[in-house]
Amino acid sequence: MTAEHYDRRATRRGFLIGAAQLAGGVGLVLALPVNDGRATPDTLQAAIRKITSEAPLQKGKVKLELPAMVENGNAVSIEVAVESPMTAADHVKAIHILNEKNPLPNVLSVQLGPRAGKATVATRIRLATTQQIMAVAEMSDGSFWFDTADIFVALAACQEDPG
Amino acid sequence: MTARTLVSVPKEARRGEVIAIKALISHDMETGFRYDNTGKPIPRDIITQFVCLYNGIEVFRAELHPAISANPFIAFYTVATESGKIEFKWNGDNGFSAAESVTIAIA
């Protein structure tokens, strides 16, 4: 099957790039998309711009947790925790989960406030291939913070036959 | 259109306690990127929105995209402020809507 063949290539490429990136410092990748070596797709950049409205995006405060490797991309557990006192004066307004290589860049966007008590959200997501996942938090002071994580996907979602 | 829902909220909490809430709903979350056996695209059919209300006040809202797995699961936190009702509402494509509510007692 051509689809399967293509996928294997994509996965291997993703793995090699991922390995190279680990050596090169993962943190720089999204902060300096032009200087990257790995072309972060335009759609992801557009999605980020839509969230931040060109405001600076800083690394930190956000902790993105997901497995380093999954067998199957159909349901991958993911948790985003943002450091914040969650008071009326200083809280997280929104958390966005974005991906790099699925057909669409957005995964989940949540709105919360001081009543959340704790700025943590967890869900299960689909991944089309090995890629980088990104979480962006919007703070009440208007600043934006992010974290990224790489995940190796052995078998993609979107590949199975419809039930 | 009767989706099964499963929510987890503590029955009792101390005032001001940060409680964990988990919400699960049965739904295929058809992405719109798949094809059927005859090569025709299968139209998108997903849940697009999830809202949690605490005694009528919105405390959490989520916008879901096709990359959310089938049977969407969302876990989050809220501060237990007062006894009352916590409501969950899901809305989606093709007029999908589902709701669930639980009561919480504050000690």
Side-chain angles (χ1 to χ4, degrees):
Chain A
M1 241 170 67
T2 51
E4 228 175 77
H5 178 64
Y6 171 73
D7 182 52
R8 205 176 298 134
R9 273 174 45 222
T11 302
R12 183 179 146 76
R13 185 183 61 206
F15 179 73
L16 290 173
I17 293 170
Q21 225 179 50
L22 275 178
V26 178
L28 290 173
V29 170
L30 282 145
L32 304 166
V34 187
N35 227 344
D36 179 355
R38 165 179 177 171
T40 305
D42 296 342
T43 49
L44 174 60
Q45 292 302 325
I48 294 168
R49 274 197 300 274
K50 207 172 159 192
I51 291 165
T52 61
S53 315
E54 312 279 340
L57 194 53
Q58 295 156 275
K59 172 108 181 159
K61 291 199 181 186
V62 181
K63 199 160 160 249
L64 178 57
E65 260 185 53
L66 74 173
M69 183 167 147
V70 289
E71 245 178 69
N72 181 317
N74 279 325
V76 181
S77 294
I78 176 169
E79 186 180 281
V80 184
V82 187
E83 239 177 78
S84 166
M86 293 307 273
T87 58
D90 181 5
H91 59 266
V92 179
K93 277 169 75 178
I95 298 172
H96 305 270
I97 300 173
L98 303 157
N99 76 87
E100 190 189 4
K101 289 181 180 168
N102 279 9
L104 295 171
N106 293 91
V107 178
L108 183 77
S109 291
V110 308
Q111 284 167 36
L112 60 175
R115 284 197 58 166
K118 193 168 156 184
T120 298
V121 61
T123 186
R124 289 198 283 255
I125 68 171
R126 287 175 170 138
L127 295 172
T129 184
T130 293
Q131 56 180 305
Q132 191 171 60
I133 307 301
M134 183 181 190
V136 176
E138 180 183 357
M139 303 298 186
S140 53
D141 65 3
S143 64
F144 290 90
W145 299 81
F146 81 97
D147 190 19
T148 58
D150 286 280
I151 179 162
F152 177 86
V153 180
L155 193 68
C158 328
Q159 295 278 318
E160 86 279 30
D161 290 324
Chain B
M1 208 53 82
T2 47
R4 287 193 300 153
T5 59
L6 185 63
V7 298
S8 156
V9 179
K11 282 193 175 67
E12 290 174 7
R14 281 175 287 110
R15 190 177 301 277
E17 188 181 343
V18 177
I19 54 168
I21 296 183
K22 293 173 189 167
L24 181 70
I25 183 164
S26 66
H27 194 288
D28 287 343
M29 293 295 279
E30 185 58 58
T31 61
F33 292 105
R34 298 197 308 159
Y35 296 88
D36 67 12
N37 293 334
T38 64
K40 273 207 316 260
I42 304 171
R44 191 184 92 160
D45 184 8
I46 65 165
I47 291 174
T48 52
Q49 200 182 65
F50 167 76
V51 183
C52 176
L53 305 165
Y54 194 134
N55 278 344
I57 296 164
E58 183 179 310
V59 291
F60 182 88
R61 172 182 289 267
E63 192 188 320
L64 283 66
H65 295 271
I68 295 294
S69 300
N71 306 323
F73 166 81
I74 297 178
F76 56 98
Y77 293 87
T78 196
V79 177
T81 51
E82 56 197 355
S83 296
K85 192 162 79 163
I86 300 183
E87 288 170 272
F88 303 89
K89 290 178 182 169
W90 294 263
N91 287 300
D93 294 338
N94 304 315
F96 178 88
S97 83
E100 175 74 273
S101 72
V102 293
T103 55
I104 183 165
I106 302 302

